[in-house]
Structure formats: C-alpha cells, structure tokens
Amino acid sequence: MDKQRYLQRTQDGLWLTEDEKENLKLSYRVRDVLFEEQSPFQHVMVLDSYDFGPMLVLDGVVQTTSVDGHIYNEMLAHMPLTLHPAPRRVLIIGGGDCGVAKEAAKYDVVETIDLVEIDEAVVRACRKHMPEVSGGEHPDPRIRHHYSDGVEFVKGRQGEYDVIIVDSSDPVGPAEQLFSSAFYRDLHAALDEGGLMVCQSQSPIFHRDVMLRTWERIGSLFPHVRMYTAVVPTYPGGLWSFTLGSKRPLPAPEEIRFDKEAFYVNENVLRASFALPAFLEKLIRERGGK
Amino acid sequence: MDKQRYLQRTQDGLWLTEDEKENLKLSYRVRDVLFEEQSPFQHVMVLDSYDFGPMLVLDGVVQTTSVDGHIYNEMLAHMPLTLHPAPRRVLIIGGGDCGVAKEAAKYDVVETIDLVEIDEAVVRACRKHMPEVSGGEHPDPRIRHHYSDGVEFVKGRQGEYDVIIVDSSDPVGPAEQLFSSAFYRDLHAALDEGGLMVCQSQSPIFHRDVMLRTWERIGSLFPHVRMYTAVVPTYPGGLWSFTLGSKRPLPAPEEIRFDKEAFYVNENVLRASFALPAFLEKLIRERGGK
C-alpha cells in the first residue's frame, strides 16, 4: 500500500511525517487510517490523529484537520458573503473538504453554490470521515458538485456569479495556475457587476513574494482591494493572509454585521481581521495599497 | 557534548527534533550551533535555523525565534504598557530572551524595568546571539537584571510596581508555580493601587483547562479582567491567549492609543486583539466573564 510511503510505525505508534518543506518537518501521531486511495490526481488519506482529530492528507501533506480547519474555512467563507449585500450565486474553486460550501449554505439568500473540486476522492473522503468540516454525507441541496479543473471551469464565463471564493492549496504544481493573472482575469469576468472575489494569499512571513504578487494582480483588476488575516491551522508561524477584490465599494470594518452561528467567526472577529500588523501594513502601502 | 541528545546529523544536514509533545514532533534544519551550555537549570542552545533564523532552545524545545519572536514579545509588552496611563515601575517575571524588556524600554515614562530571570545563561545567550529579539549586548540602563526565582522575588512586596508582565514558559516543571493562585496573590499585592498585570495563558484550543483556570484565578483577585489573543510563533494551531488583571478600570479597545515603533503591533492590532473568537467568548462567558 502506498501509505507506507508516508506513514512509519515506531515503538510509540503510527506517525505521519510531512516531508514537503526543505527546512521544517512536522510529525503527527495517528490512531488509524480512516481512508486511503490513489486518485488520478494525488494520494488521498484521512488519518485519525491524536491531537487534531481526523485530518485530510494529500500526497503526505496535511491540508485540514477536524480540530482547527473551521478557522480557515469560516474566515474564507463568511467575509465575502457578509460583505456582499445579496450573494445569490456563489462559486467555490477548490475547497474539496466542503467546509467553505457548508458555511456558505448558512445564508438564506444564497441560491446556488457551485463547488469546483478536481478530485472527487477528496470530496468523498471528507464527506464520510470529516463531517465536522464537510457537513457530512447529506449536503445542502443548493451545493452543486463539479469535478473539474477550476481554471477551465471559469474560462469564458460572463457575470454569472456574485461571490467567488478561491480555496486553493499552495502555489506549487497544479495549484500554481490558481495564482496567475490570467485566472484572476477570468474570475473578474465571471463576476456580476457588483461581484467580489476572495483568495487565500499565503503567509505574510514565509511567502511574502506570493502574497504581494497576489495583492498586486488583484489590485490591478479590481477597483477595490483589501487584505485581512487570520491564524492558520497546523502551520508554524501562525499568521495567514486573504485578499479580497471587489467591483463594488466595500463597507468599513465597523459597518460589518454578522448574525450566523459559527465556531470561530463572529462580528468582532470579522471586523478585527482587517487590522493588519505593522510590518504588513507597511509592505502593502509600499505596493500601492488602496 | 550534550547537544548530541537533541541534534541529529542526516544526509540533509543538521536537525533539531523537539520531543516534548506526545503526539506531535517538529524538526528544524539548522546551519550551526551558535551557543551551547548546560546551566544549573537547563540545557541552553542558540541554533541558527534555516527558516526561523537564530532560535533559543531550552532542554531541546524551541522557545523563541528571530523571525517571529517579536509577535509574542510585542503583544505581551505593549498591551499593559499602553493600558496603564503612567507605567513608571515595571516588573518582568521570566522573559530571559530580553525581548519584553526591550519593548518596555520604548516608553519614556518607564523609570525602572526589573527583569527577574532565573537563568543567567539564557540572558547571556540571547544578548549575544539574538540581538533582533533581545536588543543586543548594550541594553537600556533602566533594565535591572535579577537572576533569581520569580516566585520568591515577588513574595512580601507591597505596591512596588505599576505593571507586572509574566513571560513564563509552559506550566510544567519549574514554571508550574507561575500559574498558581498563591503566585497571583503575591503579584496582586506587589502592584500599586492602579496597577495591572498580564500573563500568557496558553492556547485556547490545546490548553483550554490551563487557560480557563488562569482566567478564573486572575478574575477572582482583580476587579477588572480581560483576555486578548495573538498568533503564536512556531506552534501549530496558531492562536494564543493572554490574560490581563487590573486594579483600575480598563479603557475600551477603541480608546487605545499607541504611537511606538514596532514590527508587529500597531494601534489597530492592539484594539483588534480583544475581538475573541466565538467559541472562546462563549467559554469565557460561561466561566463568569466580566
């Protein structure tokens, strides 16, 4: 079995050691392998870990965990859906753990949620083994699954969406295109007149170049651009950035209203997440913050 | 040499593997050992790591790093010093990396900074090899080093300080007393009439019991208690809590003014850090938040 490439059994039990970073390795002790499959795209596992509960692991790298995955998903979903006054048509690119879609379904005004995840195995694994994140095996009927390439999916679409959420993995390999100017142009075209988009734009500390490039690319397309931050699960360094691009003016943070039930997000957290650390505010200003 | 207990040389180079947690291990690739000494209290190293720059390592566990240690130190120092209208006499318990003392020295109104760190080797190592954190080998003359046990240092003191900052390590072994009710009572007595204290109160996700116990103990002694959060460096999970206890009423977050130069903290960040995540606000409310 391929999992032997990623898991080691020691006298302490079973361990997953992430091997993607050159200078840093994380090892998680796990109780059990809940799901394992080699999909056409990647090696997919759900591991029952001791400290983080069930976690989604792609090609040996932890993507999200049951203990803290909601922080990222809630911050990515609720910000654009709260800022848009009537987000009827929502598109999610990536997001195979279904957590962003689950949060989007909390809005009565939302009519359709197109979830474009290339790998059906990821969706199946998370729906079955990570219900706290995915919402389980009986999702809201407004969620429409499209198992296709997000970059291809948005090409040629004109004004079809009110909100687009890009829930990508790191910009290496297949996800690299999800950080390209051409892709952002397609997203801009696919948004209706008053539409807005958001993407995760990596760590301000460890991926400064990617973050600033994303900021500039989105800023060159949209008249209104804003950055916010949150803690990111299971990543040393903690801080993570998100970039919003909007065709309509955005309300000031203190005007934000939020009344959904969520684990992490509330009205104050949404407002506060625009308070950028001093070094980050300076970086953004130097790159032409709006 | 004792460092062989903590460092392994592989074909990829030299690695430090933290072994303190039962279910999670972090390994850092390091260029060089900048400092190593077995003090009377612990094994002290400064390692030059690839991703985090020089890092302080005690008994094989990373305490602070040059890349992101300033986040924790600035959040711990500037909040109480900004909330108190005239913090003339400052006491820091622990904080041997000298980062909190360095930040406290940015306030002209501060007259004395008593820094009570039990282990002189930690101070010497950080002053020499981590100047970005410690401020270097020629510290502000208002900083007075006391190489003694913080618990003993505060016993019997009456009204001698305006601000007390507890910069402790985790509540295991010697640091356990720094989370005890008896210690907080001594701090309360050592504070002047309008004085306030702050301590790090661990992760809201992974150390919920310690955090809530700290909240209750400080809340039972001080008429005004408040919690704030920040990202914590080099710890998976990201979120960290700090608890303030004050003898004087605290200003509302939006009344906070801050005009110092800092890397991470600014006025908006200080205000925003009181915006507690939904689950944390609920926990605090259940335990009698004020």
Side-chain angles (χ1 to χ4, degrees), chain A residues 96 98 113-117 123 127 139 143-147:
Chain A
C98 306
I113 302 168
D114 285 331
L115 176 50
V116 184
E117 161 64 49
V123 173
R127 287 238 174 263
I143 301 173
R144 307 188 293 204
H145 283 284
H146 306 264
Y147 299 111

Side-chain angles (χ1 to χ4, degrees), chain B residues 170-187:
Chain B
D170 295 341
V172 285
E176 200 172 345
Q177 283 195 71
L178 299 178
F179 288 80
S180 70
S181 292
F183 176 61
Y184 295 134
R185 272 196 300 275
D186 288 337
L187 295 185

Side-chain angles (χ1 to χ4, degrees), chain B residues 121-133:
Chain B
V122 171
V123 173
R124 191 161 23 89
C126 293
R127 286 238 175 263
K128 175 141 193 189
H129 298 287
M130 300 183 69
E132 311 86 346
V133 173

Side-chain angles (χ1 to χ4, degrees), chain A residues 15 22-29 50-52 67 205-206 231 262-264 266 268-269 272 275-279, chain B residues 15 22-27 29 50-52 67 205-206 231 262-264 266 268-269 272 275-279:
Chain A
W15 289 82
E22 203 184 335
N23 304 316
L24 181 70
K25 289 187 206 303
L26 270 79
S27 304
Y28 303 83
R29 193 154 78 99
Y50 280 86
D51 276 4
F52 298 90
V67 164
I205 296 172
F206 295 105
V231 294
F263 184 81
Y264 184 81
N266 57 29
N268 283 334
V269 165
L276 301 184
F279 77 93
Chain B
W15 288 82
E22 203 185 335
N23 303 318
L24 182 70
K25 289 188 206 305
L26 270 78
S27 303
R29 193 155 79 99
Y50 280 85
D51 276 4
F52 299 91
V67 165
I205 296 172
F206 295 106
V231 292
F263 184 81
Y264 183 82
N266 58 27
N268 283 335
V269 164
L276 300 184
F279 77 93

Side-chain angles (χ1 to χ4, degrees), chain A residues 165-185:
Chain A
I165 299 170
V166 185
D167 180 8
S168 70
S169 45
D170 295 343
V172 286
E176 202 172 345
Q177 283 195 70
L178 299 179
F179 288 80
S180 71
S181 292
F183 176 61
Y184 295 135
R185 273 196 299 275

